[in-house]
């Protein structure tokens, strides 16, 4: 397991660790993710301004903190999704109609990004084996095919967010 990249938790930068563990290298920094968050904030501000910059709704929106990042280093699913698009990867929500309509067997996928109690982490298939690459662990944790389905079901049951990733756009 020495050849498996596993970035350990630093501060509240779990989204960065999640992405880097998924991609198996140091590809994203907090600055990169902050830039994506600011870009999303600006796009949201422009959409809200379309309803009128003098509106109470717009003024209230401007008073609110970013929904894409916070001062602790937590980043939203939108930031993670946009970061993955740089690599031609697309997130599909595990409990979405799209995912359900594909009738995908989790074992046949490449990776899952999970959120449990405001903590992002990656479950990734490397070779023929699954690993929990949670940055809070001391190292990669091997997961059997049987346990993968149970683990994902348990996360869903406990209200955690799970997203499947690995589909390249256009194919």
């Amino acid at each position: 397991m020495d050849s498996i990249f596993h970035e350990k938790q630093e501060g509240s930068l779990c989204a960065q660790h999640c992405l880097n563990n998924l991609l198996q290298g140091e590809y994203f920094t907090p600055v990169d993710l902050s830039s994506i968050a600011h870009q999303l904030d600006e796009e949201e501000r422009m959409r809200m301004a379309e309803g009128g910059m003098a509106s109470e709704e717009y003024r209230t929106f401007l008073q609110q903190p970013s929904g894409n990042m916070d001062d602790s280093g937590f980043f939203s699913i939108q930031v993670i999704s946009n970061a993955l698009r740089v690599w031609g990867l697309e997130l599909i929500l595990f409990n979405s109609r799209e995912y359900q309509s594909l009738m995908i067997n989790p074992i046949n996928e490449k990776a899952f990004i999970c959120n449990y109690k405001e903590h992002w982490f990656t479950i990734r298939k490397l070779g023929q084996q699954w690993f929990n690459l949670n940055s809070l662990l001391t190292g990669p944790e091997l997961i059997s095919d049987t346990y993968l389905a149970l683990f994902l079901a348990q996360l869903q049951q406990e209200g955690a967010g799970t997203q499947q990733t690995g589909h390249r756009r256009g194919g």
Side-chain angles (χ1 to χ4, degrees):
M1 282 199 262
D2 291 336
S3 63
I4 296 174
F5 180 85
H6 181 254
E7 195 170 84
K8 292 184 182 71
Q9 188 69 23
E10 184 179 306
S12 296
L13 299 172
C14 56
Q16 172 194 322
H17 307 313
C18 175
L19 286 163
N20 288 340
N21 288 340
L22 173 80
L23 297 169
Q24 288 293 284
E26 294 181 22
Y27 294 102
F28 288 101
T29 67
V31 173
D32 298 328
L33 298 180
S34 292
S35 176
I36 293 169
H38 287 304
Q39 180 183 355
L40 287 166
D41 288 344
E42 183 60 23
E43 290 169 8
E44 291 168 8
R45 189 194 62 73
M46 288 170 49
R47 277 194 299 277
M48 289 297 292
E50 290 172 3
M53 293 174 73
S55 73
E56 182 65 30
E57 188 177 51
Y58 181 71
R59 287 197 308 269
T60 301
F61 174 79
L62 290 179
Q63 298 299 316
Q64 297 172 356
S66 171
N68 294 302
M69 65 180 265
D70 65 24
D71 293 339
S72 75
F74 182 84
F75 294 95
S76 70
I77 187 63
Q78 290 82 4
V79 172
I80 291 173
S81 181
N82 281 19
L84 287 172
R85 283 192 198 122
V86 171
W87 292 89
L89 297 171
E90 179 183 0
L91 268 178
I92 300 174
L93 298 179
F94 192 69
N95 58 356
S96 70
R97 281 194 194 130
E98 180 182 5
Y99 184 85
Q100 301 304 324
S101 70
L102 293 172
M103 299 192 44
I104 296 170
N105 182 343
I107 294 168
N108 297 330
E109 293 307 307
K110 293 176 179 70
F112 293 89
I113 291 177
C114 306
N115 184 291
Y116 183 70
K117 296 184 179 180
E118 297 286 307
H119 175 72
W120 296 109
F121 64 97
T122 295
I123 307 293
R124 167 87 194 262
K125 190 177 215 173
L126 296 164
Q128 297 301 310
Q129 296 180 307
W130 284 95
F131 292 90
N132 182 347
L133 301 176
N134 188 332
S135 58
L136 294 175
L137 299 173
T138 57
E141 183 178 271
L142 185 63
I143 298 177
S144 70
D145 287 355
T146 304
Y147 184 66
L148 173 69
L150 295 171
F151 185 75
L152 294 173
Q154 182 181 357
L155 282 175
Q156 255 191 318
Q157 187 176 14
E158 293 180 16
T162 305
Q163 287 78 31
Q164 173 266 327
T165 186
H167 284 275
R168 292 211 175 261
R169 284 184 288 186

